[in-house]
Amino acid sequence: MKILGLDSSGLVASVAIVEDNDLKGEYTVNYKKTHSQTLLPMLDEVAKMIELDLNSIDAIAVSGGPGSFTGLRIGAATGKGIALALDKKMVAVPTLKAMAYNVDALAYNLAGNRDIICPLMDARRNQTYTGLYRFDGNQMEIIKPQCAVGIDEIIAEVNKLGQAVVFLGDGVAVFEAYIRENCTVPYTFAPAHVNKQRAGAVAALGEIYYTEGKTET
């Protein structure tokens, strides 16, 4: 099974190919260019590097939100254009679930337990797109589905759970001072290589969704 993943839900533009749970190629850029300028050239470059015939993919997975309205439209339109041209299915992957999927291996604390994963996207006015996740083996558990709430509300929920937490996303830079002042449980911030959106995670989750029949026309 071969899945093309696209993520343009935030500042990052990312394209990836996952085949049978193996990441074949990924191109991720966090720079001040619009996604309409970057996504297709990035896909073309990845396809050349791994000698990909786009007709061989099974489905296109796109980040389904929340996120930048314009960015999400560009990602969806790009995916839909490719899907229409190639007569392929599409898969919509929740943005925050894909972000949390990045840090599976990092969510082990020193005691050998799994930390809670809390993605944060800046939704302006002290609001954040967020959710709470945890892994049981390789299975992701959704503690709190993705939502838009005040930073005070999600930190209060984290404190109430009383477990160590990993924060990631562009909201970390915005809310770091608040987290340091108000988070009462042990916490860490995910490192640079996994703290933003990545199409590899979108494609990997898209592969799971596809096998479960969660596709769109």
Side-chain angles (χ1 to χ4, degrees), residues 118 120-122 126-128 151-152 154-155 167-184 187-190 195-196:
C118 182
L120 297 171
M121 295 177 68
D122 183 19
N126 282 325
Q127 298 281 303
T128 178
I151 185 62
D152 55 338
I154 193 64
I155 295 301
F167 293 105
L168 73 152
D170 61 30
V172 168
V174 178
F175 302 117
E176 182 176 353
Y178 186 91
I179 292 170
R180 292 190 183 279
E181 291 175 8
N182 296 278
C183 189
T184 60
Y187 63 86
T188 55
F189 299 119
N195 71 355
K196 301 289 194 308

Side-chain angles (χ1 to χ4, degrees), residues 2-210:
K2 195 177 296 182
I3 305 294
L4 165 64
L6 304 173
D7 197 318
S8 57
S9 59
L11 297 175
V12 173
S14 189
V15 174
I17 299 292
V18 167
E19 183 177 4
D20 297 329
N21 202 34
D22 185 21
L23 180 63
K24 294 298 184 181
E26 184 177 45
Y27 193 156
T28 299
V29 175
N30 183 12
Y31 193 64
K32 53 187 177 183
K33 289 186 178 181
T34 62
H35 299 320
S36 59
Q37 293 176 287
T38 55
L39 277 182
L40 286 175
M42 288 164 61
L43 172 57
D44 186 54
E45 189 67 24
V46 170
K48 289 177 181 176
M49 290 294 291
I50 64 173
E51 301 179 341
L52 172 70
D53 177 3
L54 280 175
N55 286 290
S56 69
I57 65 175
D58 293 285
I60 299 100
V62 298
S63 182
S68 158
F69 178 66
T70 301
L72 291 169
R73 281 197 307 167
I74 292 168
T78 301
K80 288 169 71 174
I82 297 168
L84 182 63
L86 301 179
D87 192 25
K88 304 293 182 179
K89 294 286 188 179
M90 293 189 69
V91 180
V93 176
T95 300
L96 292 158
K97 188 173 183 180
M99 290 174 67
Y101 209 65
N102 283 341
V103 295
D104 175 15
L106 291 171
Y108 284 104
N109 61 32
L110 294 177
N113 299 316
R114 292 284 189 142
D115 290 354
I116 291 170
I117 305 169
C118 182
L120 297 171
M121 295 177 68
D122 183 19
R124 308 294 174 87
R125 298 183 179 181
N126 282 325
Q127 298 281 303
T128 178
Y129 299 123
T130 188
L132 297 174
Y133 305 86
R134 181 168 44 207
F135 279 86
D136 180 6
N138 291 324
Q139 297 299 313
M140 176 180 281
E141 175 188 352
I142 301 175
I143 300 172
K144 182 179 181 66
Q146 60 183 29
C147 57
V149 297
I151 185 62
D152 55 338
E153 183 176 332
I154 193 64
I155 295 301
E157 290 201 37
V158 166
N159 290 339
K160 187 176 179 181
L161 288 170
Q163 299 177 43
V165 61
V166 179
F167 293 105
L168 73 152
D170 61 30
V172 168
V174 178
F175 302 117
E176 182 176 353
Y178 186 91
I179 292 170
R180 292 190 183 279
E181 291 175 8
N182 296 278
C183 189
T184 60
V185 298
Y187 63 86
T188 55
F189 299 119
H193 64 293
V194 290
N195 71 355
K196 301 289 194 308
Q197 291 91 332
R198 288 183 59 182
V202 173
L205 276 173
E207 188 174 56
I208 294 172
Y209 279 31
Y210 184 79

